[in-house]
């Protein structure tokens, strides 16, 4: 009978490879968001001079451009509102796994039943699913207030953030409805 005490296994553990790949996917997935420094650049904040029409135009462009950043801000506000509701927090963490898999860390477009699913539709569906499942946990006031605060923060930032220094690709222009205006 031979013993293997003190021997070092020569094959790499498959779990370490999985963790390494997960780290790379997280870095690549979060890399698709816009830089936070560009988003919170204080020199780019200014009241819209053209009134409500310019503010609405800014909101459309900024929401299209900073979509992933705004989703993270909204989810952070929702998370902070649930800190004193453990059951809701557990549900939220489970939903966050779905967010990571379906929205933040996806490197290929989502295909469902042979049809390409638009990124904005995934964002809307995940947001509605998140709120609906959290409302089942009896933290209704916290959730409603957090969603209202999140929407107010996003709309306020999007209306105040100037858009002249943003480089919009074809996808962002189409999403913001500017393709025909250019």
């Amino acid at each position: 009978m031979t013993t293997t005490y003190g021997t070092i296994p020569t094959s790499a553990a498959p779990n370490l490879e999985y963790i390494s790949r997960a780290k790379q996917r997280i870095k690549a997935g979060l890399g698709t968001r816009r830089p936070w420094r560009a988003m919170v650049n204080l020199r780019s904040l200014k009241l819209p001079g053209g009134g409500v029409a310019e503010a609405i135009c800014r909101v459309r462009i900024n929401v299209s451009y900073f979509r992933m950043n705004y989703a993270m801000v909204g989810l952070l506000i929702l998370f902070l509102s649930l800190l004193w509701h453990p059951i809701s927090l557990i549900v939220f963490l489970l939903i966050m796994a779905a967010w990571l898999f379906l929205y933040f860390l996806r490197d290929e477009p989502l295909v469902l039943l042979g049809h390409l699913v638009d990124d904005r539709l995934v964002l809307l569906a995940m947001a509605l699913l998140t709120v609906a499942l959290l409302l089942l946990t009896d933290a209704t006031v916290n959730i409603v207030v957090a969603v209202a605060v999140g929407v107010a923060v996003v709309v306020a930032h999007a209306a105040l953030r100037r858009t002249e220094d943003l480089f919009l690709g074809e996808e962002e222009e189409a999403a913001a409805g500017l393709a025909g205006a250019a």
Side-chain angles (χ1 to χ4, degrees), residues 25 29 32 67-68 71 75 94-112 117-127 129-130 133:
R25 283 195 66 188
T32 59
R67 182 181 320 145
M68 188 169 293
L75 288 171
L94 292 174
I95 294 171
M96 274 306 298
W99 271 96
L100 287 171
F101 180 73
L102 294 173
Y103 189 71
F104 292 119
L105 301 181
R106 231 178 345 114
D107 45 352
E108 297 176 3
L110 185 64
V111 177
L112 187 63
V117 180
D118 186 39
D119 195 40
R120 293 173 292 181
L121 183 61
V122 174
L123 176 65
L124 179 66
M126 287 303 299
L129 180 70
T130 300
L133 289 177

Side-chain angles (χ1 to χ4, degrees), residues 5-142:
Y5 300 119
T7 60
I8 299 173
T10 57
S11 64
N15 289 342
L16 294 178
E17 182 180 327
Y18 178 74
I19 291 171
S20 163
R21 278 188 287 140
K23 280 183 180 178
Q24 289 174 349
R25 283 195 66 188
I26 288 171
K27 286 180 182 178
L30 294 179
T32 59
R33 66 167 170 70
R34 303 299 180 172
W36 291 104
R37 187 169 287 182
M39 184 177 165
V40 295
N41 184 357
L42 294 179
R43 284 178 261 140
S44 295
L45 297 177
K46 184 178 179 185
L47 288 173
V52 176
E54 184 181 345
I56 291 172
C57 183
R58 282 185 182 185
V59 168
R60 291 178 75 185
I61 292 171
N62 283 326
V63 165
S64 174
Y65 191 79
F66 293 113
R67 182 181 320 145
M68 188 169 293
N69 297 67
Y70 287 148
M72 289 178 177
V73 168
L75 288 171
L76 177 66
I77 291 170
L78 188 57
F79 172 78
L80 293 175
S81 75
L82 296 175
L83 285 177
W84 292 270
H85 294 274
I87 299 297
S88 300
L89 197 55
I90 292 169
V91 170
F92 179 79
L93 293 175
L94 292 174
I95 294 171
M96 274 306 298
W99 271 96
L100 287 171
F101 180 73
L102 294 173
Y103 189 71
F104 292 119
L105 301 181
R106 231 178 345 114
D107 45 352
E108 297 176 3
L110 185 64
V111 177
L112 187 63
L113 300 174
H115 292 59
L116 188 66
V117 180
D118 186 39
D119 195 40
R120 293 173 292 181
L121 183 61
V122 174
L123 176 65
L124 179 66
M126 287 303 299
L128 292 175
L129 180 70
T130 300
V131 171
L133 289 177
L134 285 173
L135 286 175
L136 297 175
T137 64
D138 293 331
T140 306
V141 173
N142 288 50

